[in-house]
Amino acid sequence: MMGCSDPGPATGDTSLSSVHKPDSFAPRTHAPAGRTPAASHGPSTPTLNQKLKNLRLMIDFPHLSLYSFHRPDQPRSNSPTGRVFPVAVYEVRNLTKIYRQGAAPANDDLSFDIEQGEIFGLLGPNGAGKTTLVRQLVGLVKPTRGSIRLFGHDIVRSAAAVPRCVAYLAQRPLAVAEVYVSDAIALTGRIRGLGRREAAARARELMGLFGLEPVARRPIMRLSGGQQRLVTLALALIGDLPVLILDEPTNELDPEHRRLVWDLLLERNRRHGTTVVLVTHNVLEAERVIQRVGIINHGRIMALGRVGELKARVDQRVRLELRFSAERGEVPPAARVGETAGGQVLELARGHYAVLVDRAELQAAVARVLDAFGPGRLEDFRIQTPTLEDVYLQLGGGTGLAQQRSA
């Protein structure tokens, strides 16, 4: 995975003239760290200007020279000296944000790392503090106190390195809402250091991938909500920056495009070692890609760890989900369903129940349900072990499965 482009002097200058090509820090190749990139017919040999930019980077930002971008299955050992360094993309320490005096903190003493090459999920209910945290990670909001380091660079002091290293997908592309789709994507690629032809080619590729060719010459503001979401994804992906921060990336998308997005993120992560930070409410879909998760509520981190580790901390009872059809007979009340199955019952909606039973009693519980109600009255029947949704609800301060499901 290629590195960040030259952050430049810490003056906050973000004019086009100060933006250097992303390959000024590392050649545009996707060879794993520690290996010599294979010969290619593209412009992979550093030019004199690129070498000068590398020298400037090492002088102005010596901490960045210690880091290399790698595939998750490769060791982190590509420093110039051959030494091995633990790599954290983000290091957040004692981060607190208070918007006005006397108000409760939006973020309250948060400390965590986001590791290079991982897919990190940030989960929490509305108003939990997720957006405030993300806006600080991308340098749009300054914390009241605490520190944030991006590849070792203090972005609280100067956020100049953020746009060269991080692609941020916000809820709406407000800054380019009046720009044509194709122009917005290509211009973003140019700002991130791509040549004119390469930016145009990558824009066409991404528009083809997301089915945006028919609206290429239409202003973004005139697109549907789902189409705007696809444009924001293309804006985030062009330029192949090493870090993606995506805020609700599948909102307003149909099932086909939601699956495409998750597959794309997995491919970017596995093939290029891209670090991905996901902010989402779609817990069940996100579970297939998230490797480590932080659950935030009331401005604090309630749980942090790998998905498997957190699952082991929640209720280990198996969940039977039963959906009865009113057209196939009278819908039984919740009390009778729970008594028949021999477990704790939750009414998710009319005729839709979840029954929590011990693993040892699962086979007997299923037999009792089928004997009592018969398969003909059931519209749907599922057996689930603990999921990331259970982690979210039980460790993240949720107010109950039924209430969350009906929200």
Side-chain angles (χ1 to χ4, degrees), residues 37 69 137 172 230 262 274 306 361 377 380 395 405 407:
F69 300 97
L137 293 180
R172 285 287 182 268
L230 293 174
W262 298 128
T274 305
R306 297 200 171 275
E361 298 296 322
R377 295 177 63 184
D380 195 12
L395 301 184
R405 284 287 191 101

Side-chain angles (χ1 to χ4, degrees), residues 161-275:
V162 174
R164 279 91 171 172
C165 299
V166 181
Y168 171 48
L169 182 151
Q171 289 290 330
R172 285 287 182 268
L174 299 177
V176 290
E178 298 180 0
V179 180
Y180 289 150
V181 171
S182 58
D183 292 345
I185 300 172
L187 177 61
T188 302
R190 292 282 287 140
I191 291 174
R192 290 177 180 162
L194 302 183
R196 186 180 304 277
R197 290 183 180 179
E198 186 178 2
R202 287 288 291 138
R204 287 193 298 270
E205 179 184 334
L206 288 165
M207 286 189 295
L209 183 64
F210 292 125
L212 294 170
E213 297 108 319
V215 297
R217 303 307 294 169
R218 189 179 300 175
I220 296 174
M221 64 187 296
R222 295 186 182 177
L223 304 182
S224 68
Q227 289 173 325
Q228 289 190 26
R229 174 57 41 175
L230 293 174
V231 172
T232 61
L233 284 162
L235 294 174
L237 294 174
I238 194 166
D240 296 328
L241 296 187
V243 183
L244 290 175
I245 297 182
L246 309 177
D247 192 352
E248 299 291 355
T250 59
N251 266 11
E252 301 179 289
L253 296 184
D254 58 58
E256 181 180 359
H257 281 105
R258 288 204 303 270
R259 176 169 291 187
L260 172 63
V261 169
W262 298 128
D263 289 344
L264 272 175
L265 294 180
L266 277 174
E267 190 271 341
R268 284 289 180 109
N269 174 259
R270 290 171 178 171
R271 184 176 178 184
H272 305 314
T274 305
T275 302

Side-chain angles (χ1 to χ4, degrees), residues 347-366:
E347 186 170 5
L348 308 178
R350 175 168 171 74
H352 186 191
Y353 306 107
V355 185
L356 302 177
V357 299
D358 292 333
R359 289 174 182 266
E361 298 296 322
L362 175 61
Q363 186 173 350
V366 171

Side-chain angles (χ1 to χ4, degrees), residues 67-398:
Y67 300 99
S68 60
F69 300 97
H70 70 294
R71 293 190 331 202
D73 59 340
Q74 298 296 326
R76 300 177 177 125
S77 59
N78 196 33
S79 73
T81 62
R83 295 169 61 193
V84 176
F85 295 90
V87 178
V89 171
Y90 275 104
E91 299 169 273
V92 178
R93 297 292 180 268
N94 307 115
L95 191 70
T96 298
K97 178 62 182 177
I98 302 173
Y99 282 105
R100 62 181 183 276
Q101 188 173 3
N107 291 150
D108 189 2
D109 198 33
L110 304 182
S111 293
F112 62 96
D113 291 347
I114 296 175
E115 299 176 1
Q116 183 180 317
E118 74 172 342
I119 301 180
F120 181 84
L122 187 61
L123 309 179
N126 292 330
K130 303 187 302 298
T131 298
T132 294
L133 173 57
V134 166
R135 288 174 65 82
Q136 290 174 98
L137 293 180
V138 297
L140 296 178
V141 171
K142 280 192 174 291
T144 304
R145 56 182 174 269
S147 66
I148 307 173
R149 291 188 174 273
L150 173 64
F151 294 111
H153 179 59
D154 183 355
I155 64 170
V156 174
R157 182 178 64 87
S158 171
V162 174
R164 279 91 171 172
C165 299
V166 181
Y168 171 48
L169 182 151
Q171 289 290 330
R172 285 287 182 268
L174 299 177
V176 290
E178 298 180 0
V179 180
Y180 289 150
V181 171
S182 58
D183 292 345
I185 300 172
L187 177 61
T188 302
R190 292 282 287 140
I191 291 174
R192 290 177 180 162
L194 302 183
R196 186 180 304 277
R197 290 183 180 179
E198 186 178 2
R202 287 288 291 138
R204 287 193 298 270
E205 179 184 334
L206 288 165
M207 286 189 295
L209 183 64
F210 292 125
L212 294 170
E213 297 108 319
V215 297
R217 303 307 294 169
R218 189 179 300 175
I220 296 174
M221 64 187 296
R222 295 186 182 177
L223 304 182
S224 68
Q227 289 173 325
Q228 289 190 26
R229 174 57 41 175
L230 293 174
V231 172
T232 61
L233 284 162
L235 294 174
L237 294 174
I238 194 166
D240 296 328
L241 296 187
V243 183
L244 290 175
I245 297 182
L246 309 177
D247 192 352
E248 299 291 355
T250 59
N251 266 11
E252 301 179 289
L253 296 184
D254 58 58
E256 181 180 359
H257 281 105
R258 288 204 303 270
R259 176 169 291 187
L260 172 63
V261 169
W262 298 128
D263 289 344
L264 272 175
L265 294 180
L266 277 174
E267 190 271 341
R268 284 289 180 109
N269 174 259
R270 290 171 178 171
R271 184 176 178 184
H272 305 314
T274 305
T275 302
V276 182
V277 180
L278 284 173
V279 181
T280 182
H281 287 93
N282 201 332
V283 182
L284 292 178
E285 281 191 8
E287 183 171 4
R288 64 185 287 250
V289 301
I290 289 176
Q291 298 160 358
R292 204 162 60 93
V293 63
I295 300 177
I296 186 171
N297 203 358
H298 307 298
R300 300 185 67 88
I301 291 179
M302 314 297 291
L304 179 69
R306 297 200 171 275
V307 174
E309 296 169 353
L310 295 182
K311 283 183 179 181
R313 292 170 51 188
V314 303
D315 194 330
Q316 293 299 300
R317 288 179 294 178
V318 177
R319 185 167 68 208
L320 303 182
E321 286 202 21
L322 310 171
R323 190 189 299 271
F324 290 88
S325 172
E327 299 176 354
R328 301 179 183 179
E330 183 181 355
V331 175
R336 185 184 171 199
V337 172
E339 182 179 351
T340 300
Q344 179 185 354
V345 64
L346 300 169
E347 186 170 5
L348 308 178
R350 175 168 171 74
H352 186 191
Y353 306 107
V355 185
L356 302 177
V357 299
D358 292 333
R359 289 174 182 266
E361 298 296 322
L362 175 61
Q363 186 173 350
V366 171
R368 287 194 299 268
V369 167
L370 294 178
D371 287 344
F373 305 114
R377 295 177 63 184
L378 288 170
E379 183 177 302
D380 195 12
F381 181 92
R382 298 183 184 182
I383 300 174
Q384 288 186 327
T385 54
T387 66
L388 185 57
E389 183 181 51
D390 297 313
V391 172
Y392 171 60
L393 296 177
Q394 294 183 40
L395 301 184

